[in-house]
Amino acid sequence: MPVTEWFIIKSLTLPSSWVAVILALIITGIVLWIKFGKDTEDWYSDAAILFILVWKFSVLITDFEMILEFPLAILYFNGGETGLFLGLLSALGRLLWQLKRKGWPEIDFVALIIAFVLLQSLYQFLMVSMNEAEFWQKLMTIAIFSGMTLLTWLKVFASNIWRLQLLVLMLLAHILAAIIQPEGLFQSSLLITVLFLICGITVYVFLNKRKMEENQ
């Protein structure tokens, strides 16, 4: 969904996409804390904070000359799309490292999938509510991600196979939503869902490997 609305907070101008990302991160963290407890919320918060910090300060990499000339610009800018993916890769990398240290617990795999689906769904809900688009595009986007969220809540506790299927279904649902949105398939949020899928498959593989070792 393209950004058409901006929010002015004193001297800071924020695009609606930034607001949507921050709110989606906060709400997802609250849900995980209520559903799974403090331990799960801790690894999620660590990953979320790392994502925000890398995304924000990656402007030192993407616009280093501007920061040298105007140091205070670091307060108002971030690394843009490049910084977004640097932050995401850093957060997912740390997340995988934390889950590896814990021995790939199955309950954290459940929480991970819920986090991925909630993050994307909340982001999409917020973007369609804050930005301009055709009414049918907004309605279809909400319907697709609402359906995916409901299916995840119903099936995520069923089995590891269902969890893998939910990750794939999330990607397919997002592709469908992207097709009907103004930006089409070429949008960053769809690529983020692909990275979520890769991360989820990685956890799935190591979780199954651990189970096979335990059964030997």
Side-chain angles (χ1 to χ4, degrees):
M1 194 65 62
V3 174
T4 60
E5 296 296 327
W6 298 71
F7 298 89
I8 299 176
I9 304 175
K10 293 186 177 181
S11 60
L12 185 63
T13 302
L14 299 176
S16 56
S17 57
W18 291 21
V19 177
V21 167
I22 300 302
L23 288 178
L25 286 170
I26 293 173
I27 295 171
T28 299
I30 293 172
V31 172
L32 293 180
W33 176 56
I34 295 172
K35 185 70 177 177
F36 297 97
K38 188 177 183 301
D39 287 344
T40 297
E41 200 276 332
D42 281 346
W43 59 250
Y44 169 82
S45 296
D46 287 347
I49 291 171
L50 179 61
F51 162 74
I52 293 172
L53 290 176
V54 174
W55 181 29
K56 176 63 180 173
F57 292 104
S58 59
V59 68
L60 291 169
I61 298 174
T62 58
D63 291 288
F64 184 66
E65 292 183 359
M66 179 190 70
I67 298 301
L68 282 179
E69 188 173 355
F70 305 103
L72 289 179
I74 198 171
L75 299 176
Y76 303 98
F77 297 96
N78 58 49
E81 190 168 296
T82 299
L84 175 70
F85 285 103
L86 286 175
L88 184 63
L89 290 172
S90 299
L92 292 177
R94 176 173 176 77
L95 181 58
L96 291 174
W97 176 74
Q98 287 179 300
L99 295 182
K100 180 182 178 182
R101 286 185 61 193
K102 296 177 67 176
W104 308 104
E106 188 169 337
I107 191 63
D108 282 345
F109 186 31
V110 174
L112 186 71
I113 295 171
I114 290 176
F116 287 166
V117 173
L118 275 182
L119 280 171
Q120 273 293 11
S121 298
L122 288 168
Y123 175 79
Q124 295 292 330
F125 296 157
L126 290 164
M127 285 296 286
V128 298
S129 65
M130 291 189 291
N131 295 284
E132 295 180 3
E134 296 291 338
F135 177 75
W136 69 270
Q137 292 173 325
K138 292 189 174 188
L139 186 62
M140 288 296 293
T141 298
I142 292 173
I144 289 170
F145 285 97
S146 295
M148 193 63 227
T149 301
L150 178 60
L151 181 62
T152 299
W153 278 107
L154 292 175
K155 293 296 185 179
V156 74
F157 292 96
S159 67
N160 273 338
I161 293 297
W162 254 111
R163 289 160 202 150
L164 183 62
Q165 290 172 335
L166 287 169
L167 287 168
V168 175
L169 285 172
M170 181 62 182
L171 176 60
L172 295 177
H174 199 157
I175 290 173
L176 177 60
I179 289 173
I180 65 174
Q181 290 176 352
E183 292 180 313
L185 291 173
F186 301 100
Q187 51 181 284
S188 299
S189 61
L190 181 56
L191 182 53
I192 289 172
T193 295
V194 173
L195 292 177
F196 283 169
L197 174 62
I198 294 171
C199 182
I201 290 174
T202 301
V203 177
Y204 173 83
V205 168
F206 280 100
L207 182 58
N208 280 347
K209 181 181 177 181
R210 188 200 67 182
K211 286 186 175 182
M212 290 176 62
E213 291 173 350
E214 291 175 351
N215 293 331
Q216 288 179 352

